[in-house]
Amino acid sequence: MTGKRAVAQLLQHLQSVGVSHVPRVTPIARRVASAVKPAASRQAPPTAAQRQSAVARPDEAPQRARLPSAGAGRDQDLAVPAALPEVAALVQQSPSSRAEREQALCALQGIVAACARCEQLASRRTQTVFGVGNPEARIMFLGEAPGREEDEQGEPFVGPAGQLLNRIITATKLRREDLYICNILRCRPPGNRNPLPQEALNCREFLQAQIDVVRPEYIVCWGGVAAHNLLNVQTPVSRMRQQFFQYGSAQVLVTYHPSYLLRNAEAKKLVWEDMQFFMQHLGMQAN
Ligand code: URA
Ligand code: URA
């Protein structure tokens, strides 16, 4: 293989797992609260051929690459895990009915449960925490990583942060069935430390597959870890609020993490403003 082709393949693979030198973060609407925009239409998923070209050959050895930092604050050597053909196959089927998407997510959950890419996390977890919600939800909620309760119960956002998130959901008048909820990581980091860049990269293929199957119109990033890893930026949450970023066919909104609100009660008001901004954009009236 020529060097040029190898680089092109690597770049394609990095893009397929969401890491890119090419800025793909576009603020598309700054403070558009007064102008309720029509929801973005769902784009057709890429064709099998397009996807095939974007997925690294699974038989290739893991590649080491100098990557732009993904929320870590500095460039690091990260090892891109070989893409799993069974994950690519699920996405390539472009599940469209609710039942098909449910089935694809279920199969993906099984693949994730067997993952041991992050040795430390895999050896300590009670179980993987995949995601819950409507498989064709308009809105995806993206958190950071499971905590103790999530690790025990196998569901995202069931501990104290999750209870606060539930209260926020109730107040916004969003319904649980509008939502699909998952995290950057599917395993609990010890002591709830932040995900390492390598761990986020290891788990990215699964997050991307969940996004590709659910195809949400909106992704709400709860906290800096979710936003920085998803969008590959390091902008503070305070400067990302109340605007939309484009990620694939989804519009991304960033706000503070519920755990942050538990420690900084004064920020609850800011999250409430962000939810009102979002509700207004959706044409819904918050409480
Ligand atoms: N915090 C998160 O970010 N995710 C969870 O699932 C639970 C707590
Ligand atoms: N900084 C973060 O990274 N996340 C928050 O939720 C708040 C501040």
Side-chain angles (χ1 to χ4, degrees), residues 4-287:
K4 217 167 156 187
R5 196 159 147 240
V7 169
Q9 268 196 1
L10 175 58
L11 280 175
Q12 274 188 335
H13 172 65
L14 293 181
Q15 285 211 341
S16 79
V17 295
V19 181
S20 171
H21 291 272
V22 183
R24 38 192 302 170
V25 180
T26 325
I28 54 173
R30 176 131 190 108
R31 297 184 191 270
V32 292
S34 58
V36 175
K37 288 160 57 88
S41 59
R42 289 183 180 226
Q43 284 177 5
T47 63
Q50 283 167 339
R51 279 220 161 267
Q52 190 64 46
S53 70
V55 173
R57 299 247 64 83
D59 51 345
E60 277 177 5
Q63 302 174 70
R64 299 202 77 82
R66 190 94 182 145
L67 300 176
S69 52
R74 60 188 187 281
D75 284 3
Q76 312 207 4
D77 279 324
L78 300 177
V80 182
L84 295 171
E86 58 272 37
V87 172
L90 285 170
V91 174
Q92 276 163 29
Q93 285 165 6
S94 300
S96 60
S97 71
R98 187 183 175 114
E100 285 170 353
R101 294 190 212 209
E102 185 105 57
Q103 208 174 14
L105 291 171
C106 209
L108 195 57
Q109 183 167 13
I111 296 167
V112 166
C115 179
R117 280 177 178 169
C118 307
E119 215 174 294
Q120 186 193 36
L121 306 192
S123 69
R124 292 179 182 218
R125 72 187 174 215
T126 307
Q127 57 198 311
T128 52
V129 178
F130 179 68
V132 285
N134 182 343
E136 49 184 8
R138 265 184 98 189
I139 302 165
M140 177 178 281
F141 275 10
L142 183 61
E144 177 176 327
R148 182 203 310 276
E149 290 84 355
E150 289 80 20
D151 172 74
E152 282 165 6
Q153 297 179 42
E155 255 198 46
F157 284 108
V158 291
Q163 283 156 23
L164 178 51
L165 187 64
N166 278 342
R167 294 202 293 278
I168 296 170
I169 293 170
T170 305
T172 56
K173 292 193 177 157
L174 285 171
R175 295 158 309 163
R176 272 276 169 184
E177 58 265 37
D178 297 322
L179 304 174
Y180 184 85
I181 306 178
C182 62
N183 284 308
I184 293 294
L185 294 191
R186 274 130 208 76
C187 297
R188 181 191 182 202
N192 296 347
R193 65 159 167 73
N194 279 355
L196 302 174
Q198 183 65 59
E199 292 165 350
L201 181 57
N202 288 347
C203 220
R204 185 61 176 243
E205 184 180 13
F206 305 131
L207 170 61
Q208 189 58 51
Q210 283 167 291
I211 294 172
D212 288 343
V213 170
V214 177
R215 298 206 295 282
E217 284 171 44
Y218 298 95
I219 299 175
V220 179
C221 288
W222 293 92
V225 168
H228 298 163
N229 280 289
L230 181 72
L231 300 173
N232 193 28
V233 297
Q234 285 150 45
T235 316
V237 171
S238 58
R239 288 207 280 118
M240 297 185 84
R241 300 170 54 227
Q242 302 204 13
Q243 56 192 305
F244 288 100
F245 300 87
Q246 195 75 37
Y247 180 80
S249 60
Q251 298 185 60
V252 179
L253 189 71
V254 178
T255 190
Y256 295 101
H257 193 284
S259 301
Y260 179 79
L261 303 185
L262 292 172
R263 299 189 306 270
N264 301 276
E266 73 284 357
K268 285 184 183 170
K269 158 172 142 304
L270 305 178
V271 170
W272 185 236
E273 287 169 11
D274 295 347
M275 290 301 109
Q276 285 178 313
F277 169 84
F278 188 35
M279 290 305 102
Q280 216 167 341
H281 177 83
L282 293 171
M284 291 166 69
Q285 198 78 55
N287 280 331

